[in-house]
Each structure stands twice: as structure tokens, then as C-alpha cells.
Amino acid sequence: MADMRIEHVGFGPDYVDYQQAWDHQREVHAQVVSGELPDTLLLLEHAAVYTAGKRTEDHERPSDGTPVIDVDRGGKITWHGPGQLVGYPIVRLPNPVDVVAHVRRLEQLLIDVCTELGVETTRVEGRSGVWVLADERGPDRKIGAIGIRVSHDVTMHGFSFNADCDLAWADPIVPCGIPDAGITSLSVELGRPVTVQDVLPLIETRVSGITAAAPATTMA
């Protein structure tokens, strides 16, 4: 954990513009690649924005013409905004580079935080991210999304974790390109407000779990 640098980029009411965060992320990535900085985790809340990964299809984009920022991560279209904690782990991966193992570590981080808060979550085979399984309240629903890129053996992008965000953002799009599943938040699942600031220390105490030295958990 001592080798992981944590940086708070900005939280509500001072939400971080996506382009500003992207420029900063690239700067930090270059410094981690060069060895000027250790592995770094950027934590923030974005101003509301839709971003589309490289696999996003036209029919998954907003049906109402809402602007979308195309980004170079994996995955499809998603939303970032108030009430959602975003983490960008900029971490050097050992050779041979194992991208799937990195994704599994990020998923496990969010699963562990959900467990501590009392929300039962899991992985769903063939679908990245962290899920609440179908029950009497609805179908499988995603509470944490993962989308990454690796350049020069160092990761970029990362995870988004729904704390108390407005879930109406999902209405104009096909979230993450998955039409037969839903979106949820910690606040919805627990029936009480759970804020980004509530979640932040729970993420930070587990930051060692996203380093390349941590074991990756396989699918059940």
C-alpha cells in the first residue's frame, strides 16, 4: 500500500470536467511510465458526461442526441457524474501483461466494499463489472463498471462506482451495451443515502488490492 500514491482530483460540488481529468490522467500516466511517479490512483467525481468506449455501436448511443465523448478505453457507452465515484488506477503491470487479471482486481475491490456496506454483489460471466443479481426487484443490475486501456505496460481509465447518483442517466442509452440488464446504486440497494464521501475511505483502505502484486480472483 505504501507504494500506491492516491490523488484526490476533485469532488462535489467541485465536479471534474471529463476532458480536464483525461488530460491530467495522461500526464500522470507518462510520469508513471517514465518512473517519475509510483503507481497512482486518481479518485474523483465527474461533471455529468457520457463516454463511449471503442466497442460502442450507434444504436447504443443517446436516443435524444445528447453529446458523447469518444474515449480510447475498452468497453461501451457509460455515464459519469455526481454521486458516482470514479477511480483511475495508473499501475505498471508485470510482463507478461495480464489485462484480465487487472480487471478482476478492480472488480474484487468493489465487491469487497459492497460486502462491507451490506450489499451482496458478484461477477457475471461474460460481462465485466460488479453486479447485483436478479431478484424480486428486477433483473441483474450493474453497480460498478470497469473500462481500461494499457499503454507501455501501464494501465489507464479504471472503474466507476454508483453511490447515490441519479439513475435516470441510463434512460437515453443502452448502458455498457447490455439491453437486458439494469443499473443500480448503493443507495438504492440499501434504501438509505450512501455518498461518494462515505465510500471513499473504504476504497482507499483497500488500495493495495489493485496493485499487480495482488492475486487476481477468477470467475466463480
Side-chain angles (χ1 to χ4, degrees):
M1 185 168 173
D3 295 331
M4 176 69 77
R5 172 178 170 265
I6 298 175
E7 180 180 343
H8 290 184
V9 182
F11 301 97
D14 300 317
Y15 302 110
V16 182
D17 174 77
Y18 189 85
Q19 186 63 51
Q20 174 191 342
W22 175 224
D23 291 342
H24 182 59
Q25 186 181 170
R26 284 184 293 185
E27 291 171 2
V28 173
H29 180 270
Q31 291 176 295
V32 173
V33 168
S34 69
E36 297 173 63
L37 285 177
D39 290 348
T40 296
L41 173 61
L42 305 179
L43 293 169
L44 62 144
E45 253 179 299
H46 277 300
V49 63
Y50 290 107
T51 70
K54 293 181 287 186
R55 297 191 299 111
T56 303
E57 298 181 31
D58 288 344
H59 74 277
E60 296 163 346
R61 292 172 180 267
S63 54
D64 60 0
T66 301
V68 176
I69 296 177
D70 289 282
V71 294
D72 63 352
R73 59 167 170 78
K76 296 199 174 192
I77 192 166
T78 192
W79 172 92
H80 301 304
Q84 182 190 77
L85 177 60
V86 172
Y88 296 133
I90 304 175
V91 176
R92 183 178 298 278
L93 300 180
N95 282 310
V97 169
D98 189 338
V99 177
V100 173
H102 179 63
V103 171
R104 293 289 172 262
R105 286 189 289 269
L106 297 183
E107 290 169 345
Q108 193 61 50
L109 170 72
L110 302 186
I111 289 170
D112 289 345
V113 171
C114 287
T115 298
E116 178 162 343
L117 289 169
V119 178
E120 185 176 348
T121 57
T122 188
R123 297 175 176 87
V124 173
E125 189 168 0
R127 295 177 170 179
S128 68
V130 174
W131 296 80
V132 177
L133 292 182
D135 56 19
E136 68 281 357
R137 295 188 296 165
D140 292 353
R141 46 204 183 268
K142 182 178 280 191
I143 197 167
I146 311 288
I148 67 164
R149 178 186 176 217
V150 179
S151 176
H152 302 287
D153 296 343
V154 176
T155 64
M156 304 180 78
H157 302 290
F159 64 84
S160 57
F161 196 24
N162 297 336
D164 62 346
C165 49
D166 181 356
L167 299 180
W169 64 264
D171 293 343
I173 65 170
V174 180
C176 303
I178 303 173
D180 61 341
I183 300 293
T184 192
S185 69
L186 293 167
S187 296
V188 166
E189 295 302 321
L190 290 169
R192 61 178 176 84
V194 180
T195 69
V196 165
Q197 292 301 317
D198 293 331
V199 175
L200 198 57
L202 304 182
I203 293 287
E204 291 180 339
T205 58
R206 293 169 170 82
V207 74
S208 60
I210 59 177
T211 65
T217 303
T218 57
M219 296 290 292

